[in-house]
Amino acid sequence: MVGITHDHEKVQFNLARLKKNGEIFEIVVEPSLAIEFKEDKDIDVRNILKSEKIFSDAKKGLLASEHKLKEIFDSEEILVVAKIILKEGEIQLTSEYRQGIIETKKKQIIEMINKNSVDPGTGLPHPVTRIENAFTEAKIHINEFKSAKEQLEDIIKQIRPILPLNFEVKEIEIKIPREHAGKVNAIVRGLVKIQKEDWLSDGSWLCIVEVPVAIQQELFDRLNDVVHGNLESKILK
């Protein structure tokens, strides 16, 4: 679990902060790397630190005393102490940085709903603006420290009473002739999940894909831009 301080107090810098033995120790950090470090990713501490200094109060520019570092951390080495602060402390983010993360996650989640679901009444994807309005009406809270995918299921539950959604997926077999196979291969991989694929003896490419009904038309429109109808397809289920 990543230790995070939300906006209970105004933060001027993105910090990692640790209270230990009654003393406060702070470092100014690159927040995305600091969070990854706390999630046990292999990040060089030097890349995380905006300044190789340990503060008792970063806002005031007050440095922690070497005596306290030695007494509490058994080291005066900045990188050694910084690593402990990152591991044991919490991340404090500026309002601006937090809001930027929230907006990015929100756009990702809305795009996932738009690309993977349809309105059961029309069979067409809900426009982005309609999904955004449903978020507002449902008072959706975006957690800046969870991925869009992790939050998707819970958010769908919250907006479904307002916005009916159908996440039907179709399984489709597609066969592309040799002259278009390479270019089409890249398009398909960028849009849908490939369950199975095979290169046939005549050089054509055969694949079975999972296609959300919301993007089925987009998939075939993009394929036909390349092959001009020269493909074979079959809905399996």
Side-chain angles (χ1 to χ4, degrees):
M1 180 71 178
V2 176
I4 301 295
T5 291
H6 298 276
D7 269 349
H8 302 313
E9 56 180 297
K10 185 73 173 176
V11 180
Q12 293 186 329
F13 312 102
N14 297 304
L15 304 173
R17 180 192 238 195
L18 175 64
K19 185 173 183 179
K20 196 174 181 73
N21 295 3
E23 300 288 335
I24 298 292
F25 301 95
E26 297 178 340
I27 50 177
V28 182
V29 299
E30 166 52 50
S32 59
L33 295 180
I35 292 166
E36 289 182 15
F37 182 90
K38 288 185 73 70
E39 294 173 342
D40 295 325
K41 294 183 181 176
D42 186 19
I43 309 292
D44 190 329
V45 175
R46 290 183 183 86
N47 295 331
I48 300 173
L49 297 179
K50 290 285 191 179
S51 171
E52 291 195 15
K53 296 177 181 178
I54 309 295
F55 297 92
S56 59
D57 188 329
K59 180 179 178 181
K60 296 179 180 178
L62 300 178
L63 296 175
S65 73
E66 293 182 354
H67 169 71
K68 288 294 183 183
L69 296 181
K70 183 69 174 176
E71 176 186 325
I72 295 174
F73 297 100
D74 197 31
S75 176
E76 299 171 14
E77 293 291 328
I78 300 298
L79 297 181
V80 171
V81 176
K83 189 176 289 189
I84 296 170
I85 294 172
L86 285 163
K87 284 184 176 179
E88 299 181 9
E90 59 187 14
I91 307 298
Q92 297 187 322
L93 301 179
T94 64
S95 298
E96 293 79 10
Y97 188 84
R98 287 186 61 244
Q99 193 57 40
I101 294 177
I102 288 169
E103 287 302 316
T104 298
K105 302 275 188 194
K106 181 179 178 180
K107 287 179 182 178
Q108 290 172 344
I109 294 166
I110 288 173
E111 182 178 353
M112 290 168 73
I113 293 171
N114 172 257
K115 292 291 187 183
N116 292 282
S117 69
V118 294
D119 179 344
T122 65
L124 299 172
H126 287 291
V128 167
T129 51
R130 190 179 298 164
I131 302 171
E132 289 173 341
N133 291 338
F135 270 52
T136 301
E137 188 175 342
K139 298 180 180 178
I140 296 298
H141 169 73
I142 306 296
N143 186 324
E144 63 268 39
F145 299 106
K146 286 186 177 180
S147 70
K149 190 174 182 180
E150 286 176 302
Q151 299 181 72
L152 181 62
E153 184 176 347
D154 183 58
I155 288 174
I156 288 169
K157 289 178 184 177
Q158 293 179 64
I159 67 171
R160 250 189 172 138
I162 300 166
L163 193 71
L165 297 168
N166 180 1
F167 282 84
E168 181 184 355
V169 175
K170 291 186 178 180
E171 190 175 278
I172 302 176
E173 181 182 271
I174 302 172
K175 183 181 178 183
I176 306 295
R178 178 179 57 190
E179 59 269 28
H180 302 301
K183 189 174 289 187
V184 165
N185 186 299
I187 293 171
V188 172
R189 291 184 190 282
L191 279 178
V192 297
K193 179 181 178 181
I194 298 175
Q195 286 188 325
K196 185 179 178 182
E197 62 180 310
D198 193 18
W199 291 93
L200 305 182
S201 57
D202 63 358
S204 59
W205 183 53
L206 181 70
C207 65
I208 297 174
V209 296
E210 285 185 3
V211 185
V213 290
I215 65 167
Q216 183 178 337
Q217 188 60 50
E218 178 186 355
L219 173 64
F220 281 102
D221 285 347
R222 290 188 61 183
L223 294 184
N224 279 312
D225 283 343
V226 176
V227 304
H228 306 294
N230 189 16
L231 62 76
E232 298 175 29
S233 67
K234 177 169 62 177
I235 296 176
L236 302 180
K237 62 180 180 181

